[in-house]
Amino acid sequence: MSNAQSPILFLDSGIGGLSVMQAAAKIMPHQKFLYAADYAGAPYGTKSEAEIASRVPALLGRLAERYKPSLITIACNTACTIALPHVRAALNLPIVGTVPAIKPASLMTKTGVIGLLGTNATIRQPYIVRLKDRFAPDYIMLNHGAPELVNAAEAKLRGDTVNLDILAQALSGLTNQKHGDKLDHIILGCTHFPLLMEELKHLMPEMVFLDGADGIARQIERLMIDNKTPPAQDGIPKHHFITSGNLEGISAYKPALKGYGFAEYAQI
Ligand code: DGL
């Protein structure tokens, strides 16, 4: 690392967690971030529960050992809905998770019909049913797995044109369901999806798309204060991007990554 400050570590299968990191950077501009993209294990959304439950804690254990982060944010709904308890049990560090914004959607809906877009692995988790039963017991929640949006967000960050037909098809996976015509809030339950916010809003201007990034950022900030972790050095910190994939694979992402404040790239 280029300076002595312990970074806040963000983990996702790819670049989706940048949606969370960006919200954190907005309220903590002087914190240094270490972003880990597990491209060697991506995508997570098509993996089994057992694969995620063993891969994510093991990887985070190695990263914690090597980079000594002050806090870990699992910036991935798939990994959290499956592996968060395993990670917390394995590591003696503050761990912040990412869960679909079912609670805020339930507080805001007027029609009582909310939608959840996530990976196939996320939407089948019992954890999602528990969140719905706890926060939105009287409402209808429609779920749809949209792995193609993960690819679309990755492609966008590589500078490719976003194919709106693919996004429209994912949205119709919700709107074509029974009660789909009454949807007024769609939860983006995968951290990749907010990176497509502009295009999603273009396709459905009346819809409210919700993600949990701002709430997660506030939670990180609270824990950093509780742990009395000092803010970074003077000036704007340069963030560090690491990947389990090969470095050549991320060269197409670099122009976009630069805009997120990354200055160093390395292989895990
Ligand atoms: N960004 C991840 C999430 O929030 C998953 C993407 C993937 O399938 O790897 O669920």
Side-chain angles (χ1 to χ4, degrees):
M1 306 293 296
S2 60
N3 67 52
Q5 190 210 13
S6 307
I8 297 176
L9 169 61
F10 291 81
L11 172 74
D12 183 37
S13 59
I15 45 70
L18 293 176
S19 60
V20 181
M21 195 195 96
Q22 192 172 34
K26 231 189 288 162
I27 59 170
M28 291 171 275
H30 297 295
Q31 287 295 350
K32 184 177 171 85
F33 300 137
L34 170 66
Y35 187 93
D38 185 15
Y39 278 120
Y44 284 175
T46 53
K47 297 219 156 22
S48 70
E49 281 70 3
E51 284 173 292
I52 300 289
S54 71
R55 184 176 185 91
V56 171
L59 175 59
L60 284 174
R62 285 205 305 281
L63 296 178
E65 180 83 25
R66 178 152 165 202
Y67 294 98
K68 310 270 183 275
S70 44
L71 178 149
I72 292 176
T73 304
I74 307 179
C76 173
N77 293 266
T78 310
C80 281
T81 52
I82 297 170
L84 186 59
H86 306 270
V87 174
R88 288 208 164 119
L91 296 178
N92 188 20
L93 267 175
I95 311 287
V96 175
T98 310
V99 291
I102 294 174
K103 185 180 175 186
S106 73
L107 295 172
M108 290 162 71
T109 181
K110 299 264 183 304
T111 62
V113 183
I114 58 181
L116 171 64
L117 283 177
T119 64
N120 289 325
T122 295
I123 64 159
R124 69 169 180 256
Q125 293 313 308
Y127 186 76
I128 297 297
V129 179
R130 288 200 295 275
L131 280 181
K132 149 85 173 82
D133 289 348
R134 181 160 170 216
F135 296 116
D138 302 325
Y139 296 140
I140 294 169
M141 186 167 92
L142 309 178
N143 299 340
H144 180 65
E148 62 277 26
L149 296 187
V150 175
N151 298 335
E154 292 281 336
K156 180 176 176 182
L157 263 274
R158 290 193 300 268
D160 296 348
T161 314
V162 176
N163 184 338
L164 291 180
D165 292 343
I166 289 176
L167 273 56
Q169 218 176 327
L171 291 169
S172 68
L174 288 175
T175 53
N176 288 346
Q177 292 183 41
K178 191 174 169 200
H179 305 296
D181 56 329
K182 298 190 191 66
L183 278 167
D184 63 353
H185 287 72
I186 293 180
I187 302 155
L188 302 178
C190 167
T191 53
H192 278 76
F193 301 172
L195 301 174
L196 300 166
M197 188 66 93
E198 205 184 307
E199 292 81 2
L200 292 168
K201 291 244 35 123
H202 172 77
L203 290 168
M204 291 183 101
E206 306 299 318
M207 187 61 67
V208 180
F209 292 96
L210 283 176
D211 66 79
D214 288 336
I216 299 160
R218 285 193 297 274
Q219 172 67 356
I220 297 170
E221 189 183 35
R222 269 194 297 273
L223 288 173
M224 294 297 283
I225 292 166
D226 289 352
N227 286 299
K228 303 198 171 35
T229 309
Q233 72 288 352
D234 296 337
I236 304 297
K238 298 277 184 275
H239 306 315
H240 190 160
F241 189 98
I242 54 176
T243 177
S244 58
N246 65 47
L247 275 182
E248 272 160 42
I250 60 157
S251 55
Y253 294 89
K254 281 190 181 168
L257 291 175
K258 206 169 164 221
Y260 285 87
F262 291 104
E264 292 177 50
Y265 301 88
Q267 199 165 16
I268 294 169

